[in-house]
């Protein structure tokens, strides 16, 4: 078959690679001048470096993303050190992890800043949380994660130390916005994957830039297999006749015929593309409810080391946002003779995103000085602010089950993208799992006698 894939983010890349592996002819249409979507590197000539548009971390359960890395030959570029560090103002640190001794300490409520009876309350609340995640009460999608924490008596100190950060990290949004069902489902998925793989849940990171990790290998697969890649090809509609997909039409009116189409655009770009698809009103209505969440990342090139004790550190008490610092020297084995490169990420950065670059840089430096004694006299040699107003999407209460399936009512058409229905939320794994399912739908169609 000739398959058209619309959108060159991870979901589209994985779809194109796997359709090619299955022996089909593929055309990949991307509206921008380059592939990669929300996972890209941005070359910076001024410091002769290739930072990313924002640090991307992996969870140990990311099986479809790992399958993609296998397909493009870059799996070795991901490292799972099995721990992260929580850093307190003033510089004190504490290792955190879900396995071994760190895991036991977390389970009994022994978290940084959690004292006295609050440890007991934390242990009890965490046990209730896991129980309710596994056997979910019917009201879980009616309340926010914030309300859930209050109902189960999670002390504020435990939220500051761990749980608010987990919700923001897992769901992409703040606990007072996210449905409680989203972190609950993700905890269950994480626990299931940990059981299946017999490894405790942990977080990993790429040891190379995102283009090297996701794109270079894919482009080689495409070149070797004659995949046609068209940049600046903006698809304006998926075309359907008699309940079967016939191709797509571009914004300039050109028609690209196809036997099958995978539409892998992000949630905020789907409106209007599927007008000929029965049931599109429901898909558009779901898309409207999945609202964008901003992430602000700053690539900071400093004149000295700030003395991080780990590859990634979560700053304790982010006051409603998740603040993290990444040490590119450790993560990429980077030579620090010219400068020291640290990347900061602020998730759910609704306020920060509206400030100027100079203000954002100063706010981030002030934060580093507060948490890292060695940063007090550090000078910024170069600062590179990346605002991504549409980084992830929020799933508010009442949105469980609205994300559309990859299978559509049209023969030969499947949807992909992190916003379509998967075991995960707005993540790289969500994107790749959706691609795996979309490809399955197309292969099934290819094998069905007409
Ligand atoms: C700063 C940041 C940090 C993140 N951190 C993490 C993390 O740590 N861990 C994690 O798992 N996830 C993280 N994510 C989320 C993750 O990057 C996304 O969930 C994932 O990359 C989405 O992939 P996608 O293919 O679904 O969408 P996208 O990457 O958005 O790709 C969609 C593509 O479709 C193209 N397109 C749109 N409309 C059209 C059209 N009409 N015609 C043709 N092409 C079109 C777009 O240009 C784009 O290239 C982060 C995201 C950001 C931005």
């Amino acid at each position: 078959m000739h398959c058209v894939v619309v959108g060159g983010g991870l979901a589209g890349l994985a779809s194109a690679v796997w359709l090619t592996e299955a022996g089909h002819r593929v055309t990949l249409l991307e509206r921008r001048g380059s592939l990669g979507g929300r996972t890209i590197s941005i070359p910076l000539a001024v410091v002769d470096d290739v930072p990313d548009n924002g640090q991307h971390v992996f969870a140990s359960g990311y099986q479809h993303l790992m399958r993609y890395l296998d397909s493009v030959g870059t799996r070795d570029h991901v490292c799972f050190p099995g721990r992260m560090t929580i850093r307190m103002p003033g510089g004190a640190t504490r290792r955190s992890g879900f396995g071994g001794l760190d895991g036991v300490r977390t389970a009994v409520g022994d978290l940084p800043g959690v004292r006295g009876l609050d440890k007991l309350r934390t242990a009890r609340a965490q046990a209730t949380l896991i129980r309710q995640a596994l056997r979910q009460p019917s009201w879980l999608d009616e309340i926010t994660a914030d309300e859930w924490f209050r109902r189960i008596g999670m002390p504020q100190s435990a939220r500051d130390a761990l749980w608010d950060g987990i919700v923001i990290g897992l769901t992409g949004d703040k606990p007072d916005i996210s449905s409680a069902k989203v972190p609950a489902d993700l905890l269950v998925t994480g626990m299931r994957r940990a059981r299946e793989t017999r490894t405790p849940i942990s977080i990993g990171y790429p040891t190379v830039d995102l283009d090297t990790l996701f794109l270079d290998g894919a482009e080689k697969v495409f070149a070797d297999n004659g995949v046609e890649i068209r940049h600046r090809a903006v698809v304006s509609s998926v075309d359907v006749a008699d309940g079967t997909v016939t191709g797509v039409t571009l914004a300039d009116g050109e028609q690209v015929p196809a036997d099958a189409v995978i539409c892998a655009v992000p949630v905020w770009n789907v409106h209007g593309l599927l007008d000929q698809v029965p049931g599109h009103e429901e898909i558009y209505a779901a898309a409207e409810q999945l609202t964008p969440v901003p992430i602000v990342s700053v690539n900071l090139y400093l004149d000295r080391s700030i003395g991080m004790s780990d590859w990634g550190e979560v700053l304790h008490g982010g006051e409603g946002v998740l603040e993290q610092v990444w040490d590119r020297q450790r993560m990429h084995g980077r030579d620090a003779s010219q400068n020291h490169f640290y990347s900061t990420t602020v998730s759910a950065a609704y306020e920060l995103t509206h400030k100027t670059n100079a203000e954002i840089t100063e706010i981030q430096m002030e934060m580093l000085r507060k948490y890292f004694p060695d940063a007090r006299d550090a000078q910024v040699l170069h600062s590179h602010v990346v605002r991504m107003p549409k980084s992830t999407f929020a799933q508010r209460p009442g949105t469980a089950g609205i994300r559309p399936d990859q299978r559509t009512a049209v023969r030969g058409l499947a949807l992909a993208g992190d916003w379509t229905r998967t075991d995960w939320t707005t993540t790289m794994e969500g994107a790749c799992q959706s691609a795996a399912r979309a490809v399955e739908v197309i292969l099934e169609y290819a094998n069905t006698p007409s």
Side-chain angles (χ1 to χ4, degrees), residues 7 9-11 30-31 37-38 56-57 62 235 266 391 417-418 427-428:
L10 265 181
E30 165 55 47
R31 123 188 136 149
R38 273 172 276 165
H56 279 69
V57 294
Y62 278 11
V235 172
S391 285
D418 63 352
T427 54
M428 300 180 287

Side-chain angles (χ1 to χ4, degrees), residues 54-55 297-300 324-328 341-345:
Q55 181 61 47
S297 307
V298 187
N299 295 312
L300 285 166
Q324 295 159 296
V325 186
W326 315 99
D327 183 345
R328 283 297 184 104
F341 174 18
Y342 299 95
S343 163
T344 65
T345 311

Side-chain angles (χ1 to χ4, degrees), residues 182-320:
V182 181
D185 285 347
L186 290 167
L187 284 171
V188 174
T189 300
M191 288 187 286
R192 175 174 54 76
R193 288 292 302 147
R195 215 176 36 243
E196 284 165 7
T197 56
R198 294 167 190 270
T199 40
I201 298 174
S202 69
I203 303 295
Y205 61 86
T207 56
V208 291
D209 63 84
L210 291 177
D211 280 1
T212 305
L213 187 70
F214 293 133
L215 274 186
D216 291 1
E219 283 173 344
K220 183 164 183 327
V221 171
F222 297 156
D224 290 348
N225 293 281
V227 172
E228 185 191 7
I229 300 170
R230 292 184 58 183
H231 298 113
R232 304 207 185 286
V234 184
V235 172
S236 59
S237 76
V238 173
D239 301 328
V240 179
D242 300 328
T244 302
V245 78
T246 57
V248 299
T249 300
L250 305 187
D252 62 8
E254 179 188 343
Q255 290 187 323
V256 182
D259 302 309
V261 171
I262 292 183
C263 180
V265 301
V267 62
W268 31 81
N269 290 134
V270 73
H271 201 95
L273 257 63
L274 306 177
D275 288 0
Q276 299 173 38
V277 176
H280 67 268
E281 299 89 348
E282 212 175 309
I283 298 172
Y284 293 168
E288 295 238 321
Q289 290 189 60
L290 304 172
T291 51
V293 182
I295 294 180
V296 173
S297 307
V298 187
N299 295 312
L300 285 166
Y301 294 86
L302 305 182
D303 67 341
R304 69 195 69 193
S305 161
I306 62 168
M308 285 182 70
S309 61
D310 210 344
W311 61 278
E313 300 193 6
V314 180
L315 306 185
H316 179 276
E319 290 171 14

Side-chain angles (χ1 to χ4, degrees), residues 308-374:
M308 285 182 70
S309 61
D310 210 344
W311 61 278
E313 300 193 6
V314 180
L315 306 185
H316 179 276
E319 290 171 14
V321 294
L322 176 62
E323 294 177 319
Q324 295 159 296
V325 186
W326 315 99
D327 183 345
R328 283 297 184 104
Q329 283 60 238
R330 278 171 206 266
M331 297 165 80
H332 290 200
R334 191 177 173 276
D335 168 27
S337 56
Q338 298 297 313
N339 48 51
H340 294 256
F341 174 18
Y342 299 95
S343 163
T344 65
T345 311
V346 183
S347 300
Y350 290 101
E351 285 93 39
L352 196 64
T353 195
H354 298 295
K355 299 198 182 291
T356 64
N357 287 357
E359 285 168 339
I360 292 173
T361 302
E362 189 40 41
I363 290 168
Q364 295 308 89
M365 282 308 294
E366 210 151 278
M367 175 189 83
L368 293 186
R369 288 184 204 112
K370 180 171 153 197
Y371 284 86
F372 297 88
D374 291 358

